[in-house]
PDB file of all heavy atoms in Angstrom:
ATOM      1  N   LYS K   1       9.633 -12.498   3.226  1.00 95.00           N
ATOM      2  CA  LYS K   1       9.786 -13.435   4.333  1.00 95.00           C
ATOM      3  C   LYS K   1       8.769 -14.578   4.296  1.00 95.00           C
ATOM      4  O   LYS K   1       9.037 -15.664   4.825  1.00 95.00           O
ATOM      5  CB  LYS K   1       9.680 -12.700   5.669  1.00 95.00           C
ATOM      6  CG  LYS K   1      10.835 -11.751   5.962  1.00 95.00           C
ATOM      7  CD  LYS K   1      12.151 -12.501   6.132  1.00 95.00           C
ATOM      8  CE  LYS K   1      13.272 -11.553   6.499  1.00 95.00           C
ATOM      9  NZ  LYS K   1      14.575 -12.262   6.657  1.00 95.00           N
ATOM     10  N   VAL K   2       7.598 -14.337   3.675  1.00 97.00           N
ATOM     11  CA  VAL K   2       6.573 -15.394   3.630  1.00 97.00           C
ATOM     12  C   VAL K   2       6.576 -16.140   2.295  1.00 97.00           C
ATOM     13  O   VAL K   2       5.682 -16.939   2.014  1.00 97.00           O
ATOM     14  CB  VAL K   2       5.160 -14.832   3.930  1.00 97.00           C
ATOM     15  CG1 VAL K   2       5.133 -14.180   5.299  1.00 97.00           C
ATOM     16  CG2 VAL K   2       4.681 -13.871   2.846  1.00 97.00           C
ATOM     17  N   GLY K   3       7.602 -15.876   1.469  1.00 96.00           N
ATOM     18  CA  GLY K   3       7.754 -16.631   0.237  1.00 96.00           C
ATOM     19  C   GLY K   3       7.030 -16.095  -0.972  1.00 96.00           C
ATOM     20  O   GLY K   3       6.821 -16.810  -1.954  1.00 96.00           O
ATOM     21  N   VAL K   4       6.647 -14.798  -0.925  1.00 95.00           N
ATOM     22  CA  VAL K   4       5.975 -14.165  -2.068  1.00 95.00           C
ATOM     23  C   VAL K   4       6.953 -13.216  -2.754  1.00 95.00           C
ATOM     24  O   VAL K   4       7.724 -12.516  -2.081  1.00 95.00           O
ATOM     25  CB  VAL K   4       4.727 -13.388  -1.596  1.00 95.00           C
ATOM     26  CG1 VAL K   4       4.106 -12.604  -2.749  1.00 95.00           C
ATOM     27  CG2 VAL K   4       3.706 -14.339  -0.983  1.00 95.00           C
ATOM     28  N   ASP K   5       6.944 -13.186  -4.071  1.00 93.00           N
ATOM     29  CA  ASP K   5       7.812 -12.286  -4.822  1.00 93.00           C
ATOM     30  C   ASP K   5       7.471 -10.840  -4.441  1.00 93.00           C
ATOM     31  O   ASP K   5       6.369 -10.358  -4.722  1.00 93.00           O
ATOM     32  CB  ASP K   5       7.585 -12.492  -6.326  1.00 93.00           C
ATOM     33  CG  ASP K   5       8.488 -11.625  -7.192  1.00 93.00           C
ATOM     34  OD1 ASP K   5       9.157 -10.713  -6.646  1.00 93.00           O
ATOM     35  OD2 ASP K   5       8.513 -11.832  -8.415  1.00 93.00           O
ATOM     36  N   PRO K   6       8.381 -10.115  -3.784  1.00 91.00           N
ATOM     37  CA  PRO K   6       8.058  -8.761  -3.323  1.00 91.00           C
ATOM     38  C   PRO K   6       7.758  -7.778  -4.442  1.00 91.00           C
ATOM     39  O   PRO K   6       7.107  -6.764  -4.219  1.00 91.00           O
ATOM     40  CB  PRO K   6       9.305  -8.349  -2.532  1.00 91.00           C
ATOM     41  CG  PRO K   6      10.392  -9.236  -3.015  1.00 91.00           C
ATOM     42  CD  PRO K   6       9.739 -10.528  -3.399  1.00 91.00           C
ATOM     43  N   SER K   7       8.220  -8.082  -5.643  1.00 90.00           N
ATOM     44  CA  SER K   7       7.940  -7.179  -6.763  1.00 90.00           C
ATOM     45  C   SER K   7       6.480  -7.258  -7.211  1.00 90.00           C
ATOM     46  O   SER K   7       6.018  -6.432  -7.989  1.00 90.00           O
ATOM     47  CB  SER K   7       8.860  -7.491  -7.944  1.00 90.00           C
ATOM     48  OG  SER K   7       8.561  -8.769  -8.492  1.00 90.00           O
ATOM     49  N   LYS K   8       5.750  -8.248  -6.681  1.00 93.00           N
ATOM     50  CA  LYS K   8       4.340  -8.420  -7.075  1.00 93.00           C
ATOM     51  C   LYS K   8       3.353  -7.813  -6.074  1.00 93.00           C
ATOM     52  O   LYS K   8       2.140  -7.927  -6.266  1.00 93.00           O
ATOM     53  CB  LYS K   8       4.037  -9.920  -7.255  1.00 93.00           C
ATOM     54  CG  LYS K   8       4.759 -10.529  -8.448  1.00 93.00           C
ATOM     55  CD  LYS K   8       4.353 -11.979  -8.665  1.00 93.00           C
ATOM     56  CE  LYS K   8       5.039 -12.555  -9.905  1.00 93.00           C
ATOM     57  NZ  LYS K   8       4.677 -13.983 -10.124  1.00 93.00           N
ATOM     58  N   ILE K   9       3.867  -7.177  -5.025  1.00 94.00           N
ATOM     59  CA  ILE K   9       2.922  -6.583  -4.078  1.00 94.00           C
ATOM     60  C   ILE K   9       2.212  -5.400  -4.727  1.00 94.00           C
ATOM     61  O   ILE K   9       2.763  -4.710  -5.587  1.00 94.00           O
ATOM     62  CB  ILE K   9       3.591  -6.150  -2.758  1.00 94.00           C
ATOM     63  CG1 ILE K   9       4.595  -5.005  -2.992  1.00 94.00           C
ATOM     64  CG2 ILE K   9       4.244  -7.312  -2.047  1.00 94.00           C
ATOM     65  CD1 ILE K   9       5.036  -4.344  -1.698  1.00 94.00           C
ATOM     66  N   ASN K  10       0.978  -5.175  -4.300  1.00 96.00           N
ATOM     67  CA  ASN K  10       0.151  -4.092  -4.828  1.00 96.00           C
ATOM     68  C   ASN K  10       0.146  -2.959  -3.810  1.00 96.00           C
ATOM     69  O   ASN K  10      -0.662  -2.938  -2.885  1.00 96.00           O
ATOM     70  CB  ASN K  10      -1.273  -4.624  -5.071  1.00 96.00           C
ATOM     71  CG  ASN K  10      -2.173  -3.576  -5.707  1.00 96.00           C
ATOM     72  OD1 ASN K  10      -1.766  -2.445  -5.947  1.00 96.00           O
ATOM     73  ND2 ASN K  10      -3.410  -3.966  -5.974  1.00 96.00           N
ATOM     74  N   TYR K  11       1.073  -2.029  -3.979  1.00 95.00           N
ATOM     75  CA  TYR K  11       1.215  -0.936  -3.015  1.00 95.00           C
ATOM     76  C   TYR K  11       0.609   0.352  -3.582  1.00 95.00           C
ATOM     77  O   TYR K  11       0.941   0.770  -4.689  1.00 95.00           O
ATOM     78  CB  TYR K  11       2.683  -0.703  -2.663  1.00 95.00           C
ATOM     79  CG  TYR K  11       2.876   0.332  -1.574  1.00 95.00           C
ATOM     80  CD1 TYR K  11       2.717  -0.012  -0.233  1.00 95.00           C
ATOM     81  CD2 TYR K  11       3.179   1.649  -1.887  1.00 95.00           C
ATOM     82  CE1 TYR K  11       2.870   0.937   0.777  1.00 95.00           C
ATOM     83  CE2 TYR K  11       3.333   2.604  -0.890  1.00 95.00           C
ATOM     84  CZ  TYR K  11       3.179   2.241   0.438  1.00 95.00           C
ATOM     85  OH  TYR K  11       3.308   3.189   1.427  1.00 95.00           O
ATOM     86  N   VAL K  12      -0.272   0.971  -2.797  1.00 95.00           N
ATOM     87  CA  VAL K  12      -0.915   2.219  -3.197  1.00 95.00           C
ATOM     88  C   VAL K  12      -0.316   3.352  -2.364  1.00 95.00           C
ATOM     89  O   VAL K  12      -0.499   3.396  -1.147  1.00 95.00           O
ATOM     90  CB  VAL K  12      -2.444   2.160  -2.982  1.00 95.00           C
ATOM     91  CG1 VAL K  12      -3.097   3.449  -3.483  1.00 95.00           C
ATOM     92  CG2 VAL K  12      -3.040   0.944  -3.677  1.00 95.00           C
ATOM     93  N   ALA K  13       0.409   4.245  -3.028  1.00 90.00           N
ATOM     94  CA  ALA K  13       1.085   5.334  -2.321  1.00 90.00           C
ATOM     95  C   ALA K  13       0.183   6.558  -2.228  1.00 90.00           C
ATOM     96  O   ALA K  13      -0.519   6.906  -3.188  1.00 90.00           O
ATOM     97  CB  ALA K  13       2.374   5.701  -3.053  1.00 90.00           C
ATOM     98  N   PHE K  14       0.221   7.215  -1.074  1.00 85.00           N
ATOM     99  CA  PHE K  14      -0.537   8.444  -0.864  1.00 85.00           C
ATOM    100  C   PHE K  14       0.417   9.565  -0.487  1.00 85.00           C
ATOM    101  O   PHE K  14       1.462   9.344   0.114  1.00 85.00           O
ATOM    102  CB  PHE K  14      -1.582   8.245   0.234  1.00 85.00           C
ATOM    103  CG  PHE K  14      -2.640   7.240  -0.116  1.00 85.00           C
ATOM    104  CD1 PHE K  14      -2.534   5.923   0.316  1.00 85.00           C
ATOM    105  CD2 PHE K  14      -3.725   7.605  -0.895  1.00 85.00           C
ATOM    106  CE1 PHE K  14      -3.500   4.987  -0.002  1.00 85.00           C
ATOM    107  CE2 PHE K  14      -4.699   6.663  -1.234  1.00 85.00           C
ATOM    108  CZ  PHE K  14      -4.592   5.361  -0.784  1.00 85.00           C
ATOM    109  N   ARG K  15       0.040  10.802  -0.825  1.00 69.00           N
ATOM    110  CA  ARG K  15       0.931  11.939  -0.607  1.00 69.00           C
ATOM    111  C   ARG K  15       1.003  12.380   0.847  1.00 69.00           C
ATOM    112  O   ARG K  15       1.958  12.997   1.276  1.00 69.00           O
ATOM    113  CB  ARG K  15       0.493  13.124  -1.465  1.00 69.00           C
ATOM    114  CG  ARG K  15       0.769  12.939  -2.943  1.00 69.00           C
ATOM    115  CD  ARG K  15       0.481  14.206  -3.710  1.00 69.00           C
ATOM    116  NE  ARG K  15      -0.922  14.614  -3.579  1.00 69.00           N
ATOM    117  CZ  ARG K  15      -1.414  15.752  -4.063  1.00 69.00           C
ATOM    118  NH1 ARG K  15      -0.610  16.589  -4.673  1.00 69.00           N
ATOM    119  NH2 ARG K  15      -2.684  16.042  -3.916  1.00 69.00           N
ATOM    120  N   GLY K  16      -0.018  12.061   1.616  1.00 66.00           N
ATOM    121  CA  GLY K  16      -0.028  12.488   3.010  1.00 66.00           C
ATOM    122  C   GLY K  16      -0.820  11.543   3.873  1.00 66.00           C
ATOM    123  O   GLY K  16      -1.576  10.696   3.383  1.00 66.00           O
ATOM    124  N   GLY K  17      -0.657  11.705   5.199  1.00 69.00           N
ATOM    125  CA  GLY K  17      -1.340  10.828   6.133  1.00 69.00           C
ATOM    126  C   GLY K  17      -2.852  10.917   6.037  1.00 69.00           C
ATOM    127  O   GLY K  17      -3.554   9.917   6.217  1.00 69.00           O
ATOM    128  N   GLY K  18      -3.370  12.107   5.723  1.00 77.00           N
ATOM    129  CA  GLY K  18      -4.816  12.288   5.610  1.00 77.00           C
ATOM    130  C   GLY K  18      -5.421  11.457   4.497  1.00 77.00           C
ATOM    131  O   GLY K  18      -6.482  10.840   4.664  1.00 77.00           O
ATOM    132  N   GLU K  19      -4.744  11.437   3.347  1.00 84.00           N
ATOM    133  CA  GLU K  19      -5.234  10.659   2.200  1.00 84.00           C
ATOM    134  C   GLU K  19      -5.223   9.168   2.514  1.00 84.00           C
ATOM    135  O   GLU K  19      -6.171   8.441   2.195  1.00 84.00           O
ATOM    136  CB  GLU K  19      -4.374  10.926   0.964  1.00 84.00           C
ATOM    137  CG  GLU K  19      -4.564  12.296   0.332  1.00 84.00           C
ATOM    138  CD  GLU K  19      -3.739  12.463  -0.922  1.00 84.00           C
ATOM    139  OE1 GLU K  19      -3.141  11.462  -1.381  1.00 84.00           O
ATOM    140  OE2 GLU K  19      -3.687  13.578  -1.450  1.00 84.00           O
ATOM    141  N   ALA K  20      -4.139   8.711   3.129  1.00 87.00           N
ATOM    142  CA  ALA K  20      -4.020   7.289   3.462  1.00 87.00           C
ATOM    143  C   ALA K  20      -5.089   6.881   4.471  1.00 87.00           C
ATOM    144  O   ALA K  20      -5.734   5.839   4.335  1.00 87.00           O
ATOM    145  CB  ALA K  20      -2.632   6.990   4.015  1.00 87.00           C
ATOM    146  N   THR K  21      -5.310   7.725   5.462  1.00 91.00           N
ATOM    147  CA  THR K  21      -6.316   7.442   6.488  1.00 91.00           C
ATOM    148  C   THR K  21      -7.706   7.333   5.873  1.00 91.00           C
ATOM    149  O   THR K  21      -8.470   6.410   6.186  1.00 91.00           O
ATOM    150  CB  THR K  21      -6.301   8.545   7.569  1.00 91.00           C
ATOM    151  OG1 THR K  21      -5.040   8.529   8.224  1.00 91.00           O
ATOM    152  CG2 THR K  21      -7.402   8.321   8.593  1.00 91.00           C
ATOM    153  N   ALA K  22      -8.032   8.262   4.977  1.00 93.00           N
ATOM    154  CA  ALA K  22      -9.342   8.247   4.320  1.00 93.00           C
ATOM    155  C   ALA K  22      -9.527   6.969   3.507  1.00 93.00           C
ATOM    156  O   ALA K  22     -10.619   6.378   3.489  1.00 93.00           O
ATOM    157  CB  ALA K  22      -9.496   9.476   3.428  1.00 93.00           C
ATOM    158  N   ALA K  23      -8.477   6.531   2.833  1.00 94.00           N
ATOM    159  CA  ALA K  23      -8.551   5.319   2.013  1.00 94.00           C
ATOM    160  C   ALA K  23      -8.768   4.083   2.879  1.00 94.00           C
ATOM    161  O   ALA K  23      -9.524   3.177   2.518  1.00 94.00           O
ATOM    162  CB  ALA K  23      -7.275   5.163   1.189  1.00 94.00           C
ATOM    163  N   ILE K  24      -8.116   4.056   4.034  1.00 95.00           N
ATOM    164  CA  ILE K  24      -8.279   2.910   4.940  1.00 95.00           C
ATOM    165  C   ILE K  24      -9.682   2.898   5.523  1.00 95.00           C
ATOM    166  O   ILE K  24     -10.374   1.870   5.517  1.00 95.00           O
ATOM    167  CB  ILE K  24      -7.223   2.960   6.067  1.00 95.00           C
ATOM    168  CG1 ILE K  24      -5.814   2.824   5.482  1.00 95.00           C
ATOM    169  CG2 ILE K  24      -7.468   1.852   7.085  1.00 95.00           C
ATOM    170  CD1 ILE K  24      -4.724   3.296   6.417  1.00 95.00           C
ATOM    171  N   LEU K  25     -10.124   4.042   6.025  1.00 95.00           N
ATOM    172  CA  LEU K  25     -11.454   4.129   6.625  1.00 95.00           C
ATOM    173  C   LEU K  25     -12.552   3.815   5.607  1.00 95.00           C
ATOM    174  O   LEU K  25     -13.595   3.264   5.947  1.00 95.00           O
ATOM    175  CB  LEU K  25     -11.680   5.530   7.217  1.00 95.00           C
ATOM    176  CG  LEU K  25     -10.789   5.915   8.403  1.00 95.00           C
ATOM    177  CD1 LEU K  25     -11.036   7.366   8.804  1.00 95.00           C
ATOM    178  CD2 LEU K  25     -11.044   4.989   9.591  1.00 95.00           C
ATOM    179  N   GLY K  26     -12.289   4.166   4.349  1.00 94.00           N
ATOM    180  CA  GLY K  26     -13.272   3.913   3.294  1.00 94.00           C
ATOM    181  C   GLY K  26     -13.200   2.510   2.718  1.00 94.00           C
ATOM    182  O   GLY K  26     -13.982   2.168   1.824  1.00 94.00           O
TER     183      GLY K  26
END
C-alpha cells in the first residue's frame, strides 16, 4: 500500500508468542 515491493520485506518468524515477545523487548 505504501509503494514498496512486498517481496522485499524482512520478516522474522517465531514459533510462539513468547519468542516473539522476547525479541521485541530485546
Side-chain angles (χ1 to χ4, degrees):
K1 292 295 183 181
V2 301
V4 174
D5 182 349
S7 67
K8 292 185 177 179
I9 65 167
N10 184 358
Y11 185 81
V12 183
F14 296 97
R15 288 187 300 174
E19 288 183 8
T21 297
I24 296 162
L25 294 175

